[in-house]
Amino acid sequence: MTKEIKIVLPAYKMLYSIAFFVILSLVRSITYTEEIGIAMQAPVAALTAVFCADTYIMEIQSGRREIFRLCDDRKQTLVIYRRLEIQMAYLIAVSVPGYLMFFWQNPYPYGNTLRAELFGITIAVIGVTVFFWGMMSVTVCSLLRNQWAGIGILLVLWMGTNSTAGDRLLGKWNVFSFAFHCLGQDADFGWLCGQAVCIVLGAVMVLLTPYIIRKRG
């Protein structure tokens, strides 16, 4: 595990991810505490897509592919799963101080939801978002066997879903439905449908990972 942490969490990745949250909390203006999660979801998705893009491609880029291929398919898959778990856990963990940084702006409460509840809901949404976009990143980049081409396709998908047109077309089934939900409607949990889509599609990609590794290795 220690070896995998060193591989997938080099210093430069940790530095730019921390800088990302610091900058986001400074440039993304909010007025109410309820807006913090809305402000975070889409940017964290973009960060995750870039952060996880080289999870498998790094074996090809570093010239370790032939050695990696000596392992059986099951071991290769477990290594990829472990690397993803480490990266996802890190991104969720660093999102916690990222959330708290927004309080530099001294936001006001809007609805009746308590701050602790808002925090729990936001981190849960961030966890689902990291899971979906992390799996999407690894799946697309592994299929193309090219990190930058994969990031390009993910950027197009991100822009399409994180847009007014995407919100109108997909509604509560949009993967960013939480970011588009209206403030003050505490009893409206229609955005959970979008989270369910993320979980289901992410689970499908988890199941497809062994097949992709075997075919595209």
Side-chain angles (χ1 to χ4, degrees), residues 8-209:
V8 299
L9 293 180
Y12 79 90
K13 272 191 168 185
M14 298 177 71
L15 287 174
Y16 80 64
S17 60
I18 293 172
F20 170 88
F21 284 103
V22 173
I23 295 171
L24 180 64
S25 67
L26 292 174
V27 303
R28 182 62 163 84
S29 178
I30 62 168
T31 303
Y32 305 105
T33 51
E34 283 82 353
E35 293 180 286
I36 299 177
I38 293 173
M40 288 182 67
Q41 188 187 19
V44 169
L47 172 65
T48 302
V50 174
F51 199 90
C52 298
D54 64 349
T55 302
Y56 179 63
I57 300 299
M58 67 175 64
E59 297 294 340
I60 299 174
Q61 295 174 335
S62 63
R64 298 194 302 263
R65 174 176 171 271
E66 296 304 324
I67 296 175
F68 190 69
R69 290 293 293 169
L70 293 176
C71 302
D72 59 53
D73 294 340
R74 180 176 178 276
K75 186 172 183 180
Q76 291 180 52
T77 301
L78 289 176
V79 169
I80 298 303
Y81 284 160
R82 191 178 303 120
R83 291 178 180 177
L84 274 170
E85 288 171 2
I86 293 169
Q87 292 177 101
M88 290 178 182
Y90 168 79
L91 288 170
I92 295 170
V94 79
S95 294
V96 173
Y99 178 95
L100 298 176
M101 286 177 191
F102 278 92
F103 283 92
W104 294 347
Q105 301 184 36
N106 195 27
Y108 300 99
Y110 185 90
N112 298 319
T113 308
L114 299 176
R115 283 188 172 184
E117 292 179 70
L118 285 173
F119 173 77
I121 291 171
T122 299
I123 297 304
V125 169
I126 292 299
V128 173
T129 300
V130 167
F131 170 65
F132 172 74
W133 286 94
M135 288 308 309
M136 181 67 74
S137 180
V138 171
T139 300
V140 173
C141 292
S142 298
L143 283 171
L144 298 177
R145 298 186 67 187
N146 187 301
Q147 176 181 349
W148 299 110
I151 290 175
I153 290 177
L154 290 168
L155 177 61
V156 172
L157 177 61
W158 182 88
M159 292 177 65
T161 50
N162 183 39
S163 66
T164 303
D167 180 42
R168 285 200 302 262
L169 178 65
L170 300 173
K172 66 181 182 179
W173 301 102
N174 190 349
V175 295
F176 291 124
S177 58
F178 180 78
F180 286 107
H181 84 282
C182 296
L183 294 179
Q185 296 183 3
D186 297 340
D188 181 12
F189 288 96
W191 54 266
L192 286 172
C193 295
Q195 299 302 289
V197 169
C198 289
I199 293 171
V200 171
L201 293 180
V204 170
M205 287 184 280
V206 169
L207 296 175
L208 288 176
T209 297

